[in-house]
Amino acid sequence: MKIKTAAKINLVLDVTGRLENGYHTIESVFQTVSLYDEVTVESAQEISISCELPEEFASADPIPCDERNIAYKAAKLFFEENNIQGGCSIHIKKGIPSQAGMGGGSTDAAAVLHCLNVITGLDLSISELSAMGKKLGADVPFFFTGGTAYVGGIGEEIASLSDYSGRHLVIAKGNQGVSTAEAYSRIDALEAPVHPKTHRLVRSVNVAPDEAYKYVGNLFEQALNLDEVEFLKAKLLAKGALSACMTGSGSAVFGIFRTRDAAEKCARSLRSSGYFAQACETVSQSFVNV
């Protein structure tokens, strides 16, 4: 089985607290976008994984193609949880940059669970798959539905919002990458942070979507203060973006544009300067059959 599986951006992302177990609580709006990895899963005697990276990713974003990969872990968990003997071969053709805050690993893991559910004929529900996905990572459950969703708690609270698909974007990323652990440690060190307007964005998506761009924001921008992020945001805005913001814990940046043509022109300009940049759209689901 072969599917394309979407990346996500955080239209807004706030960190609201830290639990005794070290996990942080968040408030966010997740949105799937038309930037995809292609995942192929085939029945086999053992679990194996291979990765295909475009040249522009290879040097900046090393991806483990072994049992350390979350997609491999997803397959292992699926077989163990369902008492299935055997394995599968997984091939991932990357289109989503890693260390970008776009959920590339999480969406791959969700895709593997989805494909195995179909291949084995188990017909597990989305809630059952989500319970499995949660054991792999906080972002994984979101990708079984995708679209636009408010996400709270440590990522386990997911509530669908009004459809925000069809918005024109540019996703851009330089060479800087940030580990999630380092990003959260810097959040903890912030003094008097200015929190983004999460609930205004939620309300706007639901009742006035054309105005939602006014409320995008990400607390991690203050914590990390990456020069490359600020540079890319400035470039996006100069090229006509309505708003621009870092996604996740970094380091990709998205800009929201009124037209596809304006987004395409901006992406071409950034690519000519040596950056990863791609025009895409917000989409209503994660998985697309190939």
Side-chain angles (χ1 to χ4, degrees):
M1 184 174 180
K2 181 188 291 187
I3 64 171
K4 294 196 299 183
T5 188
K8 64 85 179 163
I9 58 171
N10 300 84
L11 293 173
V12 69
L13 177 56
D14 194 10
V15 179
T16 55
R18 184 178 182 183
L19 305 177
E20 289 183 3
N21 61 9
Y23 282 97
H24 290 76
T25 55
I26 66 166
E27 284 192 324
S28 184
V29 173
F30 284 21
Q31 173 67 57
T32 40
V33 299
S34 61
L35 194 61
Y36 298 98
D37 283 353
E38 189 176 276
V39 177
T40 305
V41 180
E42 187 174 358
S43 295
Q45 293 300 310
E46 297 179 342
I47 302 172
S48 63
I49 186 166
S50 57
C51 301
E52 183 180 341
L53 275 67
E55 190 174 333
E56 60 189 322
F57 291 4
S59 59
D61 299 302
I63 295 172
C65 283
D66 52 31
E67 65 277 0
R68 294 173 295 166
N69 192 299
I70 190 173
Y72 184 105
K73 294 176 182 177
K76 186 171 185 286
L77 179 66
F78 184 91
F79 292 126
E80 288 175 350
E81 293 257 322
N82 295 291
N83 298 310
I84 296 174
Q85 300 298 315
C88 64
S89 64
I90 303 165
H91 182 71
I92 301 173
K93 184 178 180 181
K94 294 295 294 182
I96 305 168
S98 63
Q99 284 198 322
M102 301 189 71
S106 296
T107 198
D108 292 345
V112 168
L113 293 176
H114 171 77
C115 288
L116 288 173
N117 189 39
V118 174
I119 289 169
T120 60
L122 281 182
D123 198 27
L124 300 174
S125 67
I126 286 178
S127 62
E128 289 173 306
L129 289 170
S130 295
M132 249 188 287
K134 186 180 172 183
K135 296 179 180 178
L136 297 164
D139 289 353
V140 176
F142 163 74
F143 288 103
F144 293 111
T145 51
T148 315
Y150 168 84
V151 178
I154 60 170
E156 82 284 6
E157 300 171 15
I158 303 172
S160 293
L161 302 177
S162 295
D163 183 14
Y164 192 65
S165 60
R167 307 287 162 169
H168 303 290
L169 305 173
V170 171
I171 307 289
K173 183 181 181 296
N175 292 322
Q176 284 181 300
V178 182
S179 76
T180 302
E182 179 187 356
Y184 275 100
S185 70
R186 294 200 196 179
I187 284 282
D188 292 336
L190 277 178
E191 295 182 9
V194 179
H195 293 275
K197 299 178 175 68
T198 305
H199 293 284
R200 286 194 183 183
L201 187 132
V202 168
R203 184 177 185 280
S204 188
V205 165
N206 282 332
V207 302
D210 289 344
E211 304 296 308
Y213 73 88
K214 296 177 180 179
Y215 304 111
V216 300
N218 187 340
L219 189 66
F220 283 98
E221 286 187 9
Q222 295 173 52
L224 299 174
N225 197 25
L226 298 174
D227 291 340
E228 209 163 47
V229 166
E230 292 306 312
F231 174 81
L232 287 171
K233 283 178 61 179
K235 283 287 187 183
L236 289 163
L237 293 168
K239 292 292 183 179
L242 298 170
S243 60
C245 186
M246 189 175 80
T247 183
S249 56
S251 58
V253 175
F254 67 90
I256 301 175
F257 289 78
R258 290 197 188 279
T259 67
R260 176 77 182 194
D261 184 58
E264 292 278 11
K265 286 179 180 177
C266 177
R268 285 196 296 270
S269 175
L270 287 170
R271 283 196 297 272
S272 71
S273 299
Y275 292 95
F276 170 85
Q278 189 163 326
C280 60
E281 293 180 341
T282 54
V283 293
S284 60
Q285 60 186 23
S286 301
F287 305 141
V288 179
N289 291 327
V290 176

